[in-house]
Amino acid sequence: MIALSELDSPALDPQAHLELVDALVEQGWYVGKGVIDSALCQALHREIHHLAEHDALDEAGIGRGQQHHLRKDIRGDAIHWLDRESDAQRRYLDAMAELQQSLNQALFLGLFEYEAHFAHYPAGAFYQRHLDSFRGRANRVISTVGYLNPDWPSDGGGEMVIYHPDDPALEVARVVPEAGTFACFLSETIPHEVLPTRQPRASIAGWFRRNASMGGVLDPAR
């Protein structure tokens, strides 16, 4: 078996870096199909499937710290934070580090770090419309979603809907969660939601962050 680290193909399509930067400037969001290497998608999908089968995922909540609580009526996925424990995770996170460098060089964003987790939606699960940044603490600057689902059917549901930043009721894109698709958007201004899925749905949600520590109080990564 060939190790992922030995594969010649890049984890992300290099052309996507340029297209992504232009799209963020022009409209605040980007969606590209076939951006993530197919072998990497397969390895990551096997990993999240294994975690789900062995009840090794944590129920996702809303808010952070003392404000964190479970709300199945708002969000129904289960998660596992990426920690470089596998070749596939390391390869994905290394690709995000390269993307972070590209974004900082092109847009002078001062991105400080990247955090990401697997997101597993069982059949029937959804995530209501929301923004990814926290009001008054814009530490999450750019959100990413990498999709891992092979052969996603046309009636599978589970699309991510992106809304216009100036009109949260206006839908501007609907992203089918098929393997290889990569989405990226401004965390503070782009409302989005995940529609109910009709079958298990796997992705990686991530955020490029600024260092938002203030007054000697460290801003936590999660």
Side-chain angles (χ1 to χ4, degrees), residues 4 11-12 36-37 40-41 44 82 84 86-98 114-118 144-148 181-183 203-206:
L4 284 170
L12 293 185
I36 309 171
D37 176 68
L40 178 57
C41 283
L44 290 167
L82 271 61
R84 307 184 72 88
S86 68
D87 285 343
Q89 288 191 33
R90 287 189 290 273
R91 190 171 178 225
Y92 188 86
L93 292 174
D94 287 345
M96 292 299 104
E98 293 176 5
Y114 180 77
E115 59 178 355
H117 61 61
F118 286 119
T144 69
V145 187
Y147 295 99
L148 309 175
T181 296
F182 185 74
S203 62
I204 295 177

Short mmCIF file of all heavy atoms in Angstrom, two decimals, residues 4 11-12 36-37 40-41 44 82 84 86-98 114-118 144-148 181-183 203-206:
data_model
loop_
_atom_site.label_atom_id
_atom_site.label_comp_id
_atom_site.label_asym_id
_atom_site.label_seq_id
_atom_site.Cartn_x
_atom_site.Cartn_y
_atom_site.Cartn_z
N LEU A 4 0.13 7.90 1.94
CA LEU A 4 -0.37 9.15 1.39
C LEU A 4 0.75 10.16 1.20
O LEU A 4 0.76 10.93 0.24
CB LEU A 4 -1.45 9.73 2.31
CG LEU A 4 -2.81 9.06 2.26
CD1 LEU A 4 -3.68 9.57 3.39
CD2 LEU A 4 -3.49 9.29 0.93
N ALA A 11 -2.31 17.66 -2.45
CA ALA A 11 -3.55 17.43 -1.70
C ALA A 11 -4.68 18.32 -2.20
O ALA A 11 -5.84 17.91 -2.24
CB ALA A 11 -3.31 17.67 -0.21
N LEU A 12 -4.35 19.56 -2.58
CA LEU A 12 -5.32 20.48 -3.17
C LEU A 12 -4.85 20.89 -4.55
O LEU A 12 -3.65 21.08 -4.77
CB LEU A 12 -5.47 21.74 -2.31
CG LEU A 12 -6.09 21.63 -0.92
CD1 LEU A 12 -6.24 23.03 -0.33
CD2 LEU A 12 -7.42 20.91 -0.95
N ILE A 36 -9.94 18.64 -3.85
CA ILE A 36 -9.20 17.77 -2.94
C ILE A 36 -8.85 16.47 -3.65
O ILE A 36 -9.68 15.87 -4.32
CB ILE A 36 -10.03 17.47 -1.67
CG1 ILE A 36 -10.56 18.75 -1.04
CG2 ILE A 36 -9.19 16.69 -0.65
CD1 ILE A 36 -11.55 18.51 0.08
N ASP A 37 -7.61 16.04 -3.50
CA ASP A 37 -7.13 14.81 -4.13
C ASP A 37 -8.03 13.63 -3.78
O ASP A 37 -8.43 13.45 -2.62
CB ASP A 37 -5.70 14.54 -3.66
CG ASP A 37 -5.16 13.24 -4.19
OD1 ASP A 37 -4.95 13.14 -5.41
OD2 ASP A 37 -4.95 12.32 -3.38
N LEU A 40 -6.80 11.13 -1.12
CA LEU A 40 -6.88 11.72 0.22
C LEU A 40 -8.32 11.71 0.71
O LEU A 40 -8.58 11.39 1.88
CB LEU A 40 -6.34 13.14 0.19
CG LEU A 40 -6.40 13.93 1.51
CD1 LEU A 40 -5.66 13.19 2.62
CD2 LEU A 40 -5.82 15.33 1.32
N CYS A 41 -9.27 12.04 -0.16
CA CYS A 41 -10.68 11.97 0.23
C CYS A 41 -11.07 10.57 0.69
O CYS A 41 -11.76 10.41 1.70
CB CYS A 41 -11.57 12.39 -0.94
SG CYS A 41 -11.66 14.15 -1.25
N LEU A 44 -9.54 9.86 4.18
CA LEU A 44 -10.23 10.61 5.24
C LEU A 44 -11.65 10.08 5.46
O LEU A 44 -12.12 10.02 6.60
CB LEU A 44 -10.27 12.09 4.86
CG LEU A 44 -8.92 12.82 4.90
CD1 LEU A 44 -9.03 14.17 4.22
CD2 LEU A 44 -8.43 12.99 6.34
N LEU A 82 -9.27 17.27 14.29
CA LEU A 82 -8.06 16.77 13.64
C LEU A 82 -6.84 17.11 14.49
O LEU A 82 -6.69 18.24 14.94
CB LEU A 82 -7.90 17.38 12.24
CG LEU A 82 -8.59 16.63 11.08
CD1 LEU A 82 -10.09 16.56 11.30
CD2 LEU A 82 -8.26 17.27 9.75
N ARG A 84 -3.57 15.44 13.64
CA ARG A 84 -2.41 14.90 12.92
C ARG A 84 -2.10 13.47 13.33
O ARG A 84 -0.96 13.00 13.18
CB ARG A 84 -1.17 15.80 13.12
CG ARG A 84 -1.38 17.25 12.79
CD ARG A 84 -0.10 18.07 12.92
NE ARG A 84 0.81 17.77 11.84
CZ ARG A 84 0.80 18.37 10.64
NH1 ARG A 84 -0.07 19.33 10.40
NH2 ARG A 84 1.66 18.02 9.70
N SER A 86 -3.02 10.74 11.91
CA SER A 86 -2.94 9.82 10.79
C SER A 86 -2.23 10.52 9.62
O SER A 86 -2.15 11.75 9.58
CB SER A 86 -4.33 9.37 10.35
OG SER A 86 -5.05 10.46 9.78
N ASP A 87 -1.75 9.73 8.66
CA ASP A 87 -1.12 10.30 7.47
C ASP A 87 -2.11 11.20 6.73
O ASP A 87 -1.74 12.26 6.21
CB ASP A 87 -0.64 9.19 6.54
CG ASP A 87 0.62 8.50 7.03
OD1 ASP A 87 1.30 9.07 7.92
OD2 ASP A 87 0.92 7.40 6.54
N ALA A 88 -3.37 10.76 6.66
CA ALA A 88 -4.38 11.54 5.93
C ALA A 88 -4.61 12.89 6.60
O ALA A 88 -4.68 13.93 5.92
CB ALA A 88 -5.68 10.75 5.85
N GLN A 89 -4.73 12.89 7.91
CA GLN A 89 -4.91 14.15 8.62
C GLN A 89 -3.72 15.08 8.42
O GLN A 89 -3.88 16.28 8.19
CB GLN A 89 -5.12 13.91 10.11
CG GLN A 89 -6.46 13.30 10.48
CD GLN A 89 -6.70 13.33 11.98
OE1 GLN A 89 -6.26 14.24 12.67
NE2 GLN A 89 -7.41 12.33 12.47
N ARG A 90 -2.52 14.52 8.52
CA ARG A 90 -1.33 15.35 8.35
C ARG A 90 -1.27 15.95 6.95
O ARG A 90 -0.93 17.13 6.78
CB ARG A 90 -0.06 14.52 8.64
CG ARG A 90 0.14 14.22 10.12
CD ARG A 90 1.50 13.59 10.38
NE ARG A 90 1.58 12.23 9.86
CZ ARG A 90 1.21 11.15 10.55
NH1 ARG A 90 0.73 11.27 11.79
NH2 ARG A 90 1.33 9.94 10.02
N ARG A 91 -1.63 15.16 5.97
CA ARG A 91 -1.58 15.67 4.60
C ARG A 91 -2.61 16.78 4.39
O ARG A 91 -2.32 17.79 3.74
CB ARG A 91 -1.82 14.52 3.61
CG ARG A 91 -1.56 14.90 2.17
CD ARG A 91 -1.59 13.69 1.26
NE ARG A 91 -1.37 14.10 -0.12
CZ ARG A 91 -2.09 13.67 -1.15
NH1 ARG A 91 -3.06 12.80 -0.96
NH2 ARG A 91 -1.84 14.10 -2.37
N TYR A 92 -3.80 16.61 4.94
CA TYR A 92 -4.83 17.64 4.80
C TYR A 92 -4.42 18.92 5.52
O TYR A 92 -4.53 20.03 4.97
CB TYR A 92 -6.16 17.12 5.34
CG TYR A 92 -7.33 18.05 5.07
CD1 TYR A 92 -8.02 17.98 3.87
CD2 TYR A 92 -7.74 18.99 6.01
CE1 TYR A 92 -9.10 18.82 3.61
CE2 TYR A 92 -8.80 19.84 5.76
CZ TYR A 92 -9.49 19.75 4.55
OH TYR A 92 -10.53 20.60 4.29
N LEU A 93 -3.93 18.78 6.75
CA LEU A 93 -3.54 19.95 7.53
C LEU A 93 -2.32 20.65 6.92
O LEU A 93 -2.22 21.89 6.98
CB LEU A 93 -3.27 19.56 8.98
CG LEU A 93 -4.50 19.12 9.77
CD1 LEU A 93 -4.10 18.61 11.15
CD2 LEU A 93 -5.50 20.27 9.91
N ASP A 94 -1.40 19.91 6.34
CA ASP A 94 -0.27 20.52 5.65
C ASP A 94 -0.76 21.34 4.45
O ASP A 94 -0.23 22.43 4.16
CB ASP A 94 0.73 19.46 5.19
CG ASP A 94 1.54 18.88 6.35
OD1 ASP A 94 1.53 19.47 7.45
OD2 ASP A 94 2.17 17.82 6.14
N ALA A 95 -1.77 20.81 3.75
CA ALA A 95 -2.33 21.56 2.61
C ALA A 95 -2.99 22.84 3.08
O ALA A 95 -2.90 23.89 2.42
CB ALA A 95 -3.33 20.68 1.86
N MET A 96 -3.65 22.80 4.24
CA MET A 96 -4.27 24.00 4.78
C MET A 96 -3.22 25.01 5.23
O MET A 96 -3.42 26.23 5.11
CB MET A 96 -5.18 23.64 5.96
CG MET A 96 -6.42 22.84 5.58
SD MET A 96 -7.53 23.69 4.44
CE MET A 96 -7.14 22.81 2.92
N ALA A 97 -2.08 24.54 5.71
CA ALA A 97 -0.99 25.44 6.08
C ALA A 97 -0.46 26.18 4.84
O ALA A 97 -0.15 27.37 4.90
CB ALA A 97 0.13 24.68 6.77
N GLU A 98 -0.37 25.47 3.72
CA GLU A 98 0.06 26.11 2.48
C GLU A 98 -0.97 27.13 2.01
O GLU A 98 -0.62 28.22 1.56
CB GLU A 98 0.28 25.04 1.41
CG GLU A 98 1.45 24.10 1.69
CD GLU A 98 1.57 23.01 0.66
OE1 GLU A 98 0.80 23.04 -0.33
OE2 GLU A 98 2.43 22.13 0.82
N TYR A 114 -4.84 27.37 12.16
CA TYR A 114 -5.97 26.69 11.53
C TYR A 114 -6.44 25.58 12.44
O TYR A 114 -5.63 24.84 13.00
CB TYR A 114 -5.54 26.12 10.18
CG TYR A 114 -6.62 25.38 9.43
CD1 TYR A 114 -7.62 26.07 8.75
CD2 TYR A 114 -6.63 23.99 9.39
CE1 TYR A 114 -8.61 25.39 8.05
CE2 TYR A 114 -7.62 23.30 8.69
CZ TYR A 114 -8.60 24.01 8.02
OH TYR A 114 -9.59 23.34 7.33
N GLU A 115 -7.74 25.48 12.62
CA GLU A 115 -8.34 24.38 13.39
C GLU A 115 -9.39 23.70 12.52
O GLU A 115 -10.03 24.35 11.68
CB GLU A 115 -8.97 24.90 14.68
CG GLU A 115 -10.07 25.93 14.46
CD GLU A 115 -10.72 26.40 15.76
OE1 GLU A 115 -10.38 25.85 16.81
OE2 GLU A 115 -11.57 27.30 15.69
N ALA A 116 -9.57 22.40 12.71
CA ALA A 116 -10.52 21.68 11.87
C ALA A 116 -11.00 20.43 12.57
O ALA A 116 -10.30 19.85 13.41
CB ALA A 116 -9.88 21.32 10.53
N HIS A 117 -12.20 19.99 12.22
CA HIS A 117 -12.71 18.72 12.75
C HIS A 117 -13.50 17.97 11.68
O HIS A 117 -14.05 18.57 10.75
CB HIS A 117 -13.58 18.93 14.00
CG HIS A 117 -14.82 19.77 13.80
ND1 HIS A 117 -15.83 19.41 12.94
CD2 HIS A 117 -15.22 20.93 14.38
CE1 HIS A 117 -16.80 20.31 12.99
NE2 HIS A 117 -16.45 21.25 13.85
N PHE A 118 -13.50 16.65 11.80
CA PHE A 118 -14.44 15.85 11.04
C PHE A 118 -15.85 16.23 11.48
O PHE A 118 -16.09 16.51 12.65
CB PHE A 118 -14.23 14.36 11.32
CG PHE A 118 -13.02 13.75 10.69
CD1 PHE A 118 -12.02 13.18 11.47
CD2 PHE A 118 -12.87 13.71 9.30
CE1 PHE A 118 -10.91 12.59 10.90
CE2 PHE A 118 -11.76 13.11 8.72
CZ PHE A 118 -10.78 12.56 9.52
N THR A 144 -13.56 26.92 6.05
CA THR A 144 -13.38 25.97 4.96
C THR A 144 -14.24 24.74 5.21
O THR A 144 -14.50 24.37 6.37
CB THR A 144 -11.92 25.52 4.82
OG1 THR A 144 -11.55 24.71 5.95
CG2 THR A 144 -10.97 26.71 4.73
N VAL A 145 -14.69 24.11 4.14
CA VAL A 145 -15.37 22.82 4.23
C VAL A 145 -14.86 21.94 3.11
O VAL A 145 -14.93 22.31 1.94
CB VAL A 145 -16.91 22.96 4.12
CG1 VAL A 145 -17.56 21.60 4.39
CG2 VAL A 145 -17.45 24.01 5.07
N GLY A 146 -14.33 20.78 3.48
CA GLY A 146 -13.91 19.78 2.51
C GLY A 146 -14.84 18.59 2.57
O GLY A 146 -15.09 18.04 3.65
N TYR A 147 -15.37 18.18 1.43
CA TYR A 147 -16.36 17.10 1.40
C TYR A 147 -15.71 15.77 1.01
O TYR A 147 -14.83 15.73 0.16
CB TYR A 147 -17.49 17.46 0.45
CG TYR A 147 -18.27 18.65 0.93
CD1 TYR A 147 -18.03 19.92 0.43
CD2 TYR A 147 -19.22 18.51 1.95
CE1 TYR A 147 -18.73 21.02 0.90
CE2 TYR A 147 -19.93 19.60 2.42
CZ TYR A 147 -19.67 20.85 1.90
OH TYR A 147 -20.36 21.94 2.38
N LEU A 148 -16.21 14.68 1.63
CA LEU A 148 -15.55 13.37 1.54
C LEU A 148 -16.44 12.26 1.01
O LEU A 148 -16.01 11.11 0.98
CB LEU A 148 -15.03 12.97 2.93
CG LEU A 148 -14.19 14.01 3.68
CD1 LEU A 148 -13.86 13.51 5.09
CD2 LEU A 148 -12.92 14.34 2.92
N THR A 181 -15.06 18.20 -3.40
CA THR A 181 -15.52 19.60 -3.41
C THR A 181 -14.97 20.33 -2.19
O THR A 181 -14.94 19.78 -1.09
CB THR A 181 -17.05 19.67 -3.43
OG1 THR A 181 -17.52 19.09 -4.65
CG2 THR A 181 -17.55 21.10 -3.34
N PHE A 182 -14.54 21.56 -2.41
CA PHE A 182 -13.95 22.37 -1.34
C PHE A 182 -14.61 23.74 -1.37
O PHE A 182 -14.70 24.39 -2.41
CB PHE A 182 -12.45 22.51 -1.55
CG PHE A 182 -11.73 23.24 -0.44
CD1 PHE A 182 -11.50 22.61 0.77
CD2 PHE A 182 -11.29 24.54 -0.61
CE1 PHE A 182 -10.82 23.26 1.80
CE2 PHE A 182 -10.61 25.20 0.40
CZ PHE A 182 -10.38 24.57 1.60
N ALA A 183 -15.11 24.17 -0.21
CA ALA A 183 -15.76 25.48 -0.08
C ALA A 183 -14.99 26.32 0.91
O ALA A 183 -14.39 25.81 1.86
CB ALA A 183 -17.21 25.31 0.38
N SER A 203 -17.66 15.32 6.23
CA SER A 203 -16.91 16.47 5.75
C SER A 203 -15.86 16.84 6.79
O SER A 203 -15.81 16.27 7.88
CB SER A 203 -17.85 17.66 5.50
OG SER A 203 -18.47 18.06 6.71
N ILE A 204 -15.02 17.81 6.42
CA ILE A 204 -14.10 18.43 7.37
C ILE A 204 -14.40 19.91 7.40
O ILE A 204 -14.30 20.60 6.37
CB ILE A 204 -12.63 18.20 6.98
CG1 ILE A 204 -12.28 16.71 7.06
CG2 ILE A 204 -11.70 19.00 7.89
CD1 ILE A 204 -10.86 16.39 6.62
N ALA A 205 -14.79 20.41 8.55
CA ALA A 205 -15.02 21.85 8.74
C ALA A 205 -13.80 22.45 9.39
O ALA A 205 -13.24 21.88 10.34
CB ALA A 205 -16.25 22.07 9.62
N GLY A 206 -13.36 23.59 8.89
CA GLY A 206 -12.15 24.22 9.44
C GLY A 206 -12.23 25.72 9.40
O GLY A 206 -13.07 26.31 8.70
#
